[in-house]
PDB file of all heavy atoms in Angstrom:
ATOM      1  N   LEU K  29     122.595  99.390  89.099  1.00 98.00           N
ATOM      2  CA  LEU K  29     122.353  98.832  87.732  1.00 98.00           C
ATOM      3  C   LEU K  29     122.042  97.342  87.885  1.00 98.00           C
ATOM      4  O   LEU K  29     122.210  96.743  88.933  1.00 98.00           O
ATOM      5  CB  LEU K  29     123.630  99.041  86.883  1.00 98.00           C
ATOM      6  CG  LEU K  29     124.116 100.505  86.697  1.00 98.00           C
ATOM      7  CD1 LEU K  29     125.277 100.572  85.751  1.00 98.00           C
ATOM      8  CD2 LEU K  29     122.962 101.393  86.174  1.00 98.00           C
ATOM      9  N   CYS K  30     121.483  96.788  86.758  1.00 98.00           N
ATOM     10  CA  CYS K  30     121.099  95.349  86.808  1.00 98.00           C
ATOM     11  C   CYS K  30     122.309  94.496  87.098  1.00 98.00           C
ATOM     12  O   CYS K  30     123.441  94.859  86.545  1.00 98.00           O
ATOM     13  CB  CYS K  30     120.476  94.951  85.518  1.00 98.00           C
ATOM     14  SG  CYS K  30     119.165  95.901  84.914  1.00 98.00           S
ATOM     15  N   CYS K  33     125.071  93.658  84.225  1.00 98.00           N
ATOM     16  CA  CYS K  33     125.200  94.709  83.236  1.00 98.00           C
ATOM     17  C   CYS K  33     126.707  94.984  82.978  1.00 98.00           C
ATOM     18  O   CYS K  33     127.540  95.099  83.949  1.00 98.00           O
ATOM     19  CB  CYS K  33     124.608  95.983  83.806  1.00 98.00           C
ATOM     20  SG  CYS K  33     124.806  97.458  82.699  1.00 98.00           S
ATOM     21  N   HIS K  35     128.127  97.555  82.183  1.00 98.00           N
ATOM     22  CA  HIS K  35     128.654  98.869  82.709  1.00 98.00           C
ATOM     23  C   HIS K  35     129.261  98.692  84.135  1.00 98.00           C
ATOM     24  O   HIS K  35     130.204  99.381  84.449  1.00 98.00           O
ATOM     25  CB  HIS K  35     127.455  99.877  82.933  1.00 98.00           C
ATOM     26  CG  HIS K  35     126.708 100.172  81.612  1.00 98.00           C
ATOM     27  ND1 HIS K  35     127.099  99.758  80.420  1.00 98.00           N
ATOM     28  CD2 HIS K  35     125.547 100.898  81.390  1.00 98.00           C
ATOM     29  CE1 HIS K  35     126.275 100.177  79.451  1.00 98.00           C
ATOM     30  NE2 HIS K  35     125.278 100.838  80.071  1.00 98.00           N
ATOM     31  N   CYS K  64     121.788 104.668  81.724  1.00 98.00           N
ATOM     32  CA  CYS K  64     122.289 103.779  82.744  1.00 98.00           C
ATOM     33  C   CYS K  64     123.849 103.981  82.898  1.00 98.00           C
ATOM     34  O   CYS K  64     124.387 104.036  83.897  1.00 98.00           O
ATOM     35  CB  CYS K  64     122.015 102.275  82.401  1.00 98.00           C
ATOM     36  SG  CYS K  64     120.273 101.902  82.280  1.00 98.00           S
ATOM     37  N   ASN K 136     126.031  99.558  74.386  1.00 98.00           N
ATOM     38  CA  ASN K 136     125.229  98.341  74.431  1.00 98.00           C
ATOM     39  C   ASN K 136     124.288  98.262  73.242  1.00 98.00           C
ATOM     40  O   ASN K 136     123.381  97.408  73.161  1.00 98.00           O
ATOM     41  CB  ASN K 136     124.471  98.230  75.761  1.00 98.00           C
ATOM     42  CG  ASN K 136     123.718  99.447  76.155  1.00 98.00           C
ATOM     43  OD1 ASN K 136     123.438 100.266  75.261  1.00 98.00           O
ATOM     44  ND2 ASN K 136     123.354  99.608  77.320  1.00 98.00           N
ATOM     45  N   GLY K 140     119.329 101.620  77.147  1.00 98.00           N
ATOM     46  CA  GLY K 140     118.946 100.769  78.287  1.00 98.00           C
ATOM     47  C   GLY K 140     118.018 101.428  79.276  1.00 98.00           C
ATOM     48  O   GLY K 140     117.018 100.826  79.631  1.00 98.00           O
ATOM     49  N   LEU K 141     118.288 102.665  79.620  1.00 98.00           N
ATOM     50  CA  LEU K 141     117.461 103.364  80.612  1.00 98.00           C
ATOM     51  C   LEU K 141     116.050 103.488  80.220  1.00 98.00           C
ATOM     52  O   LEU K 141     115.151 103.445  81.108  1.00 98.00           O
ATOM     53  CB  LEU K 141     118.062 104.734  80.946  1.00 98.00           C
ATOM     54  CG  LEU K 141     117.454 105.360  82.194  1.00 98.00           C
ATOM     55  CD1 LEU K 141     117.913 104.689  83.483  1.00 98.00           C
ATOM     56  CD2 LEU K 141     117.812 106.877  82.313  1.00 98.00           C
ATOM     57  N   PRO K 213     127.408  94.739  77.233  1.00 98.00           N
ATOM     58  CA  PRO K 213     126.110  94.208  76.978  1.00 98.00           C
ATOM     59  C   PRO K 213     125.075  94.633  78.053  1.00 98.00           C
ATOM     60  O   PRO K 213     125.364  94.709  79.252  1.00 98.00           O
ATOM     61  CB  PRO K 213     126.264  92.716  76.994  1.00 98.00           C
ATOM     62  CG  PRO K 213     127.768  92.563  76.575  1.00 98.00           C
ATOM     63  CD  PRO K 213     128.474  93.686  77.207  1.00 98.00           C
ATOM     64  N   CYS K 214     123.861  94.852  77.554  1.00 98.00           N
ATOM     65  CA  CYS K 214     122.698  95.229  78.385  1.00 98.00           C
ATOM     66  C   CYS K 214     121.974  93.869  78.618  1.00 98.00           C
ATOM     67  O   CYS K 214     121.281  93.345  77.687  1.00 98.00           O
ATOM     68  CB  CYS K 214     121.799  96.203  77.693  1.00 98.00           C
ATOM     69  SG  CYS K 214     120.210  96.377  78.525  1.00 98.00           S
ATOM     70  N   VAL K 215     122.131  93.295  79.773  1.00 98.00           N
ATOM     71  CA  VAL K 215     121.536  91.943  80.036  1.00 98.00           C
ATOM     72  C   VAL K 215     119.992  91.994  80.042  1.00 98.00           C
ATOM     73  O   VAL K 215     119.389  90.957  79.784  1.00 98.00           O
ATOM     74  CB  VAL K 215     122.050  91.313  81.321  1.00 98.00           C
ATOM     75  CG1 VAL K 215     123.485  90.867  81.254  1.00 98.00           C
ATOM     76  CG2 VAL K 215     121.845  92.314  82.520  1.00 98.00           C
ATOM     77  N   THR K 216     119.397  93.103  80.267  1.00 98.00           N
ATOM     78  CA  THR K 216     117.942  93.204  80.392  1.00 98.00           C
ATOM     79  C   THR K 216     117.286  93.358  79.003  1.00 98.00           C
ATOM     80  O   THR K 216     116.266  92.757  78.697  1.00 98.00           O
ATOM     81  CB  THR K 216     117.565  94.331  81.273  1.00 98.00           C
ATOM     82  OG1 THR K 216     118.167  94.081  82.547  1.00 98.00           O
ATOM     83  CG2 THR K 216     116.062  94.378  81.529  1.00 98.00           C
ATOM     84  N   PHE K 217     117.926  94.110  78.132  1.00 98.00           N
ATOM     85  CA  PHE K 217     117.196  94.451  76.855  1.00 98.00           C
ATOM     86  C   PHE K 217     117.944  93.980  75.587  1.00 98.00           C
ATOM     87  O   PHE K 217     117.374  94.020  74.487  1.00 98.00           O
ATOM     88  CB  PHE K 217     116.942  95.874  76.716  1.00 98.00           C
ATOM     89  CG  PHE K 217     115.956  96.391  77.750  1.00 98.00           C
ATOM     90  CD1 PHE K 217     116.370  97.265  78.782  1.00 98.00           C
ATOM     91  CD2 PHE K 217     114.625  95.958  77.776  1.00 98.00           C
ATOM     92  CE1 PHE K 217     115.565  97.697  79.750  1.00 98.00           C
ATOM     93  CE2 PHE K 217     113.725  96.374  78.817  1.00 98.00           C
ATOM     94  CZ  PHE K 217     114.169  97.264  79.775  1.00 98.00           C
TER      95      PHE K 217
HETATM   96  S1  SF4 D   2     118.743  98.139  81.703  1.00 82.88           S
HETATM   97 FE1  SF4 D   2     120.522  97.347  80.601  1.00 82.88          FE
HETATM   98  S2  SF4 D   2     122.028  99.029  80.523  1.00 82.88           S
HETATM   99 FE2  SF4 D   2     120.504  99.494  82.087  1.00 82.88          FE
HETATM  100  S3  SF4 D   2     121.411  98.708  84.005  1.00 82.88           S
HETATM  101 FE3  SF4 D   2     120.086  97.160  83.197  1.00 82.88          FE
HETATM  102  S4  SF4 D   2     121.451  95.829  81.995  1.00 82.88           S
HETATM  103 FE4  SF4 D   2     122.479  97.737  82.333  1.00 82.88          FE
END
Side-chain angles (χ1 to χ4, degrees):
L29 302 182
C30 306
C33 174
H35 302 352
C64 298
N136 51 20
L141 191 73
C214 168
V215 285
T216 304
F217 296 112

